[in-house]
Amino acid sequence: MKKVVVGLSGGVDSSVAAAILHNQGYDVIGLTLWLMKGKGQCCSEGMIDAAQICEQLGVPHEVVDIRDVFQTEIVDFLVTGYSVGITPLPCSQCNKTVKFGPMVKYAREQLECNAIATGHYAQIRYDETTGRYQLLRAVDRNKDQSYFLYDLSQDLLSCSIFPLGELNKTDTRRMAAEYNLKTADKPESQDLCLVESNGSMRAFLDKYLAPKPGDIVDTTGKILGQHDGVHHYTIGQRKGLGIAAPEALYVIELDAVNNRVVVGDRTKGTEAECTVNRVNWVSIAKPATPIRAEVQIRYRSAPVPVTVIPLECDRVRLVFDEPQFSITPGQAAVWYEGDKVLGGGIIEQF
């Protein structure tokens, strides 16, 4: 039997992934990463459910304490980003440096295993012509998580398995019930793990960043209101500004240096292009010339036509066919050819 380490969060998706591989004859070892510090965090319930799933399947269960790594790579990363006026995307960072990387390292060094699996909705395909592993969207477009996986290296893709990539969520729930898994009816996670454990992103940030009152201004510098910290806002935000105006106003800039939140109408929040850094070319090697693609600038944003211009130092310039609203520094831009992830990176500050 081929040995595989399955990352178990205690949710229904990872539980079904483990059950599928176990029923296919794999020698499954469950692995749960202990991520968050503090009593009563969401990891506690997840670890218990993961252990019970492994007991039900009759497979070993390992727990690896990487709370210090999560604190440095995710918590500190988020706090630092918000403090300087960007809106970081923790999930892609977490997948590469906190989850997949440590899982593969532990599997290889401690368990003599070179295959890992997770409950992500995405697909991997090997292209014999190019010799590269390709990352593709899941069959279930509503659950597709390829956007968050763009930063995985060829090495990580080469040893990863996504058993749910060809399923939709209805299939997953049905299979969980058929396997009689404890997690079959467990509610879906609706937000970031840090948000769910703290109640809101605001509550999480307030634990680390002190209030810092400042002005809310329009694009001419006219003061329209007050804020209690730029870290409480994000580009494109409309609700919760506390400003009475004859037209809808949106956050179009977070000026952390001058402690100002700049607002304007929707037309002032659009850009024709942006620069992306920390680029990872996934399904193709870095091209020498500009390419055409479709890009998502947020997880739930619709893909739009774009010209991707390679630059030096793992950077690209994205030139949109039509100006885009709410391009947010710190978020990921991921470009596709059909269902295939070509590459992605982090949007720079303008």
Side-chain angles (χ1 to χ4, degrees):
M1 292 188 297
K2 185 176 181 180
K3 187 184 294 184
V4 61
V5 173
V6 181
L8 289 172
S9 64
V12 64
D13 292 333
S14 60
S15 300
V16 171
I20 288 173
L21 294 174
H22 182 256
N23 278 271
Q24 289 177 350
Y26 281 83
D27 181 4
V28 171
I29 301 171
L31 177 63
T32 300
L33 302 175
W34 188 1
L35 301 178
M36 281 188 274
K37 297 182 177 181
K39 183 178 180 181
Q41 299 285 20
C42 63
C43 288
S44 303
E45 179 185 344
M47 281 190 284
I48 293 171
D49 288 343
Q52 292 179 334
I53 290 296
C54 288
E55 182 177 2
Q56 183 177 350
L57 296 176
V59 303
H61 181 231
E62 307 263 346
V63 176
V64 178
D65 185 352
I66 57 169
R67 288 175 293 171
D68 288 340
V69 176
F70 187 82
Q71 179 70 33
T72 300
E73 297 291 338
I74 302 303
V75 175
D76 295 348
F77 164 75
L78 276 174
V79 172
T80 299
Y82 275 98
S83 70
V84 297
I86 68 173
T87 305
L89 180 72
C91 293
S92 59
Q93 171 95 352
C94 189
N95 281 329
K96 180 181 179 180
T97 63
V98 179
K99 294 180 179 177
F100 283 76
M103 278 181 63
V104 169
K105 179 179 174 65
Y106 188 82
R108 288 172 174 170
E109 295 180 359
Q110 303 298 322
L111 303 173
E112 298 181 349
C113 174
N114 199 44
I116 66 169
T118 70
H120 285 92
Y121 287 84
Q123 300 182 82
I124 298 172
R125 179 176 63 197
Y126 182 70
D127 186 343
E128 293 185 356
T129 303
T130 63
R132 293 183 73 90
Y133 287 87
Q134 299 178 339
L135 177 65
L136 298 98
R137 292 189 187 276
V139 169
D140 188 341
R141 290 291 291 266
N142 288 326
K143 292 295 297 180
D144 173 54
Q145 293 170 299
S146 60
Y147 173 88
F148 295 119
L149 300 170
Y150 79 87
D151 209 21
L152 296 184
S153 66
Q154 284 291 298
D155 179 53
L156 293 177
L157 288 173
S158 72
C159 55
S160 296
I161 303 172
F162 299 142
L164 307 187
E166 296 182 1
L167 303 179
N168 58 48
K169 188 68 180 194
T170 303
D171 295 327
T172 301
R173 288 286 185 188
R174 175 182 53 78
M175 294 179 75
E178 290 175 355
Y179 291 135
N180 198 30
L181 299 178
K182 177 185 184 297
T183 55
D185 297 320
K186 190 170 183 178
E188 191 91 357
S189 294
Q190 297 297 321
D191 220 323
L192 299 173
C193 57
L194 286 169
V195 171
E196 291 201 338
S197 64
N198 287 275
S200 66
M201 179 59 75
R202 184 185 185 97
F204 162 71
L205 291 172
D206 285 346
K207 291 170 59 177
Y208 297 91
L209 297 173
K212 190 176 180 181
D215 296 327
I216 300 177
V217 301
D218 64 16
T219 53
T220 68
K222 179 182 178 181
I223 298 175
L224 303 179
Q226 300 294 309
H227 68 77
D228 59 356
V230 296
H231 56 278
H232 289 147
Y233 299 82
T234 187
I235 301 297
Q237 179 178 335
R238 177 183 175 185
K239 296 181 180 180
L241 301 182
I243 299 172
E247 59 183 356
L249 296 177
Y250 302 82
V251 175
I252 60 173
E253 181 186 353
L254 297 175
D255 182 0
V257 173
N258 297 301
N259 195 29
R260 302 188 310 171
V261 174
V262 183
V263 299
D265 63 40
R266 190 178 177 89
T267 61
K268 293 183 174 64
T270 61
E271 300 287 344
E273 61 181 67
C274 69
T275 305
V276 177
N277 61 23
R278 292 173 50 189
V279 169
N280 181 49
W281 291 96
V282 187
S283 300
I284 62 172
K286 178 181 178 180
T289 57
I291 63 171
R292 292 288 293 169
E294 289 188 320
V295 67
Q296 285 180 230
I297 56 173
R298 294 232 185 185
Y299 173 48
R300 288 300 184 186
S301 67
V304 296
V306 69
T307 298
V308 184
I309 304 173
L311 304 173
E312 295 181 351
C313 302
D314 296 324
R315 298 168 71 240
V316 303
R317 179 177 297 114
L318 300 180
V319 180
F320 307 102
D321 285 15
E322 297 182 3
Q324 296 298 303
F325 174 70
S326 186
I327 300 174
T328 307
Q331 293 290 293
V334 181
W335 44 97
Y336 295 77
E337 180 183 68
D339 287 340
K340 182 168 58 181
V341 178
L342 301 182
I346 300 299
I347 298 169
E348 291 184 344
Q349 288 183 297
F350 297 102

